[in-house]
Amino acid sequence: MSKEMTGAEMVIQALADQGVDRLFGYPGGAVLPIYDALFHQNSVEHILVRHEQAAVHSAEGYARSSGKVGVVLVTSGPGATNAVTGLADALMDSIPVVCITGQVPTHLIGNDAFQECDTVGITRPCTKHNYLVRDVKDLARVLHEAFYVAQNGRPGPVVVDIPKDVQFAAGLYVGPENIEHKTYKPKLDAEDEKIEAAVRLIASAKRPIFYTGGGVINSGPQASRALRELARLTGVPVTSTLMGLGAFPAANRQWLGMLGMHGTYEANMAMHGCDVMVCIGARFDDRITGRIDAFAPNSKKIHIDIDPSSINKNVKVDLPIIGDCTRVLEAMLKAWKAKDLSLDREAMTSWWSQIDRWRARQCLAYRQSDDIIKPQYAIERLYAATKDKDVYISTEVGQHQMWAAQFFRFEEPNRWLTSGGLGTMGYGLPAAIGAQIAHPDALCVDIAGEASILMNMQEMSTAVQFNLPVKIFILNNRYMGMVRQWQELLHGGRYSHSYSEALPDFVKLADAYGGVGMRCEKPGDLDAAIAEMINVKRPVIFDCIVDQQENCFPMIPSGRAHNEMILGDMAVDLDEAITDEGKMLV
């Protein structure tokens, strides 16, 4: 398709040609030509957010729940700088986002013009790639390239900065079918010899483990299916990072739970004791590895990743495999079947017996109460009420996030939306809005803390304006809970500025926005209140008052190894002498 049109019209046409039907944005002077072009068309719906950071988080939620590219439109200067946190979040978690920013006219660039900033310079460290388009002749090509870069290889955010005069200028629009990126061509298929080496190493293992990450989910549903089939064929236990939850079903016996700082005892101990580790689409970040020199110290390590820069970045591996998770897993499946491989049955029986002993510790057990709601219990009851529904769960960041990861059991990918790498408070509500836009008939719940939710509470206006029945399920303990926990355990109980003072009345706040407010304080009232929340077809703020002193366990303190966990007092007898299979820090 070639047609004469303005730069602003090219933006809308490019979005339509890329299959974009929803756009998250906030207008301003430097993007008014694009907003005027939006006014004259019906193919792309604009979702008006109340803050540019929330625009990116909404696009992330849309992208993660749908598998499509999330798209953002913001103005120059503060519009672009407000989006930076969201862009950094998307980069850390490998989320495909195209962010279109306005810029002052080209002749004013560098003159400190009104609402000017060096968007390309500012966003270079927090994007996969970015562009400043100075000539309308390049605009269509750049827009299509941006989508290609955002979603191919390791996904990530791309910024396209468009000066206002380029938006007004006329030029020839070129469709995506005529665009070919000449330099960025990620490697998708691994070498046959690497695949053969991997399956033979797995077959030789006595204590193997599959360690899966967000790359399995980003690769698409075929990757999750291949992972499940490979696990079934081999009988190998599976654990996951925070970002990988849902790639392997939580109900499966081979699932060990989440790995890492707040992972399960059995997952962390199995990782520490394995002899062959297969890392699939994860990057060995510090919340997973703990102390590097004590990380799976006696194991051979296979690392499958589409991003070459992730290989040997944090942990030296024995067999690096660069490629797309789907293609690599499918190739491993084919090779395993063709060679009719199997693991040592006696060794695997012994390995699973050891894992069952670790499971018997019941590391997620907590002290129940008839008088006050325990946060773990609140998540369990929310899960029980929603497990048979079409549900998408987002979170803010903190204790509630970890409890959600521990107690909400995910059977399918793309249902869990959380800020993993950057740990962004304020992520959950706009992400839930993005998921609700992508899935209008689904139940979208933001599990929140009373501190985090205030970071982007203004997005209740977006939910109300667009009739989005998102549910904000606040675990309200009146503390920045994870900060308080670290201050208690590591800083002598000196609670410096972690108490949530001057909180709003969340029920009244919901009413003020035009939503529905609810509050629950007693465990016996929780099921009925959750059922009522679900049945309301409007945005809901559910203020769940929980135990202020509850801590999130298990926990690996910073700088410790996987076998040096703090366990909750219900998980293990404090007077019990713990052998060398695990240590209890007190």
Side-chain angles (χ1 to χ4, degrees), residues 273-322:
C274 71
D275 65 347
V276 172
M277 173 208 304
V278 186
C279 174
I280 311 168
R283 56 187 176 85
F284 295 101
D285 70 282
D286 61 293
R287 289 293 169 113
I288 291 299
T289 62
R291 198 171 85 240
I292 290 289
D293 63 358
F295 175 65
N298 300 310
S299 70
K300 296 287 186 180
K301 300 175 180 65
I302 303 169
H303 188 186
I304 302 166
D305 205 295
I306 199 167
D307 180 9
S309 70
S310 292
I311 302 293
N312 291 324
K313 181 177 181 180
N314 298 322
V315 170
K316 182 174 175 55
V317 300
D318 301 280
L319 179 56
I321 301 178
I322 298 171

Side-chain angles (χ1 to χ4, degrees), residues 11-12 15 20-28 31-52 54-56 58 62 71-75 98 100 433 437 459 461-463 465-468:
V11 171
I12 306 306
L15 297 183
V20 175
D21 54 5
R22 304 288 167 75
L23 169 69
F24 301 91
Y26 199 95
V31 283
L32 286 184
I34 299 174
Y35 272 86
D36 193 51
L38 273 170
F39 185 83
H40 292 288
Q41 58 83 53
N42 296 311
S43 59
V44 180
E45 181 184 4
H46 180 273
I47 307 298
L48 179 67
V49 298
R50 268 51 179 185
H51 192 282
E52 291 88 353
V56 185
S58 292
Y62 180 90
V71 183
V72 177
L73 175 61
V74 298
T75 195
V98 170
I100 299 167
I433 286 172
I437 289 290
E459 297 311 309
S461 289
T462 299
Q465 178 180 342
F466 290 92
N467 300 312
L468 305 173

